[in-house]
Amino acid sequence: MHDFSTQARLRRLALAAQGLLQTQPFGRGLAGARKAINHLGYVQVDTISVVERAHHHVFHARVPQFKPAMSNQMLRDGDIFEYWAHAAAFLPISDFRFSLPYKDAIKSGRTRWYRNCDEKLMGELMARIGSDGPLRSRDLETDSVKRSGWWDWKPAKKALEQLYMQGDLMVSDREGFQKTYDLTERVLPSWVDTRMPTLEEFATHILDQQLRCHGLVSLKGLTYQRRNTELRNAVKKMVNERLAAGRLEQVQTSSGDVFFVKTGALEQALPRVKDRLLILSPFDNSVIQRERLKALFQYDYQLECYVPEAKRQYGYFCLPLLFRDAFIGRMDCKAHRKTRHLEIRYLHLEPHDFAEESVITAFLDAIEQFRDFQQCDSVSLAKAHPQHLTESLGSALASLG
C-alpha cells in the first residue's frame, strides 16, 4: 500500500479521529466540550495570549457554541483535571490514575521536577492549605503574606509547584493564569479510580487512547515526549502483540513512514470533506507532533515565537490553516482587546490544488467566526501571499466589520 489513495485515506482517517472533518462531532456547548476532551485525551494549556488561549482554541475548533468560561467550569465541576501530559494540559478526570506513575516518580526522586526543593517550606504550605483552605498562586505575591514571615515568593512558588507535580495538591480553579491549589483529597471526586496502573495497563491506555484520537499511530508518536524507557518498551511490545494477533495492521506511506491502524480502518467509510476552512492553534492535538504532521500532510510547520525575530519566516504566532483535508497555509494575527480589533499581520497560502475562490470563501466564513471567538468587532489584513490577495481580501475583510 504505497499509492496516493492510501496517503489520502490516512489523512482522512487522522482528521476524522481528531473531530476536524465533521461540523459538530462531539455535540455543542458544555456537553460537547466534555465529550471532546474525553475523546481527545488531553487539551494543552498555554500562556501565550496574542489570540484566545490555546486550550480554548482547541475546543472552539471542534465544538460549536463553546465559550472560554466552559474550560474552568469543567475544572470546577470535576469533569477534568490539570496536570502534565507532554506539556501542561487539561485531562479527563476518568484518566486520573494514569497521572500517578509520573507523580510517584517525582515524589520518590526517580524523576526531578526541581532540584533542591525546600521540604520544610513544602510542609508549611501543606499545613497552611490544610487549615486555611485553597491557596491562589497570587496569594504568595502579596506583601501581607511576605510580612507574616511565611515565605519569599520564588521559593514558595517553587515549593507549591513541586507539591502539585508530585500529586499532593491539585488545581481546583483558575482565573486566567492564576491557579488555585487545594489538597488532592479535597479536589478529587470520590468515585475516581486512584489505583496505580501496572506497566501493561498504562501501555494499553496509551495505545487505545492514541488509536481513538489519532486514527493511526507510529511507535515514536505513541510515547511522544515520554522519556520512560520501560513504558516505551511496553508500548512497543503491545503493538507487536496486536500486529501478531491481527488486531493492528502496518501501513507505509510513499515517504517511507510507518504507521499502525486498527485492522480494516482504511476500508471503512470515512466522513466526506466539505469546502470548510479551520483556523487551528499551534498547540492543537492534530498538529503538535510536527514530524507526524509533515509525514502525513507534507506540511512543514514551526512555531516561530521561540525563533529570533530576524529569523522568522511567517510571524510570531502563526496559526495552521486546514482546508478540506489539507493544510494549505498559516496566519499570523493578534487580537487587540482594547479596540476589539483582530489584526492579520500575515496570511500565507501555500501552493495547492484547490480553486482559489472556494478557499477564499471558506476563509472569510472561518475568519468571521474566529473574529467573534476573539471578542473582536473588526478585522484587517496587512499582508498576504500570494500578493494579489492583499488588496482583494483586505477589502472583503473590512466589509465584515
Side-chain angles (χ1 to χ4, degrees), residues 243-261:
L243 276 171
R247 293 174 63 193
L248 286 181
E249 55 185 311
Q250 183 174 308
V251 187
Q252 193 166 13
T253 66
S254 49
S255 54
D257 295 280
V258 173
F259 290 102
F260 303 97
V261 299

Side-chain angles (χ1 to χ4, degrees), residues 213-240:
C213 73
H214 285 307
L216 56 140
V217 297
S218 67
L219 281 178
K220 188 174 182 184
L222 276 166
T223 50
Y224 176 69
Q225 298 283 42
R226 294 184 190 267
R227 293 174 179 84
N228 182 334
T229 309
E230 273 189 329
L231 182 62
R232 281 181 174 177
N233 290 339
V235 169
K236 188 176 180 178
K237 181 170 175 262
M238 189 150 290
V239 168
N240 288 331

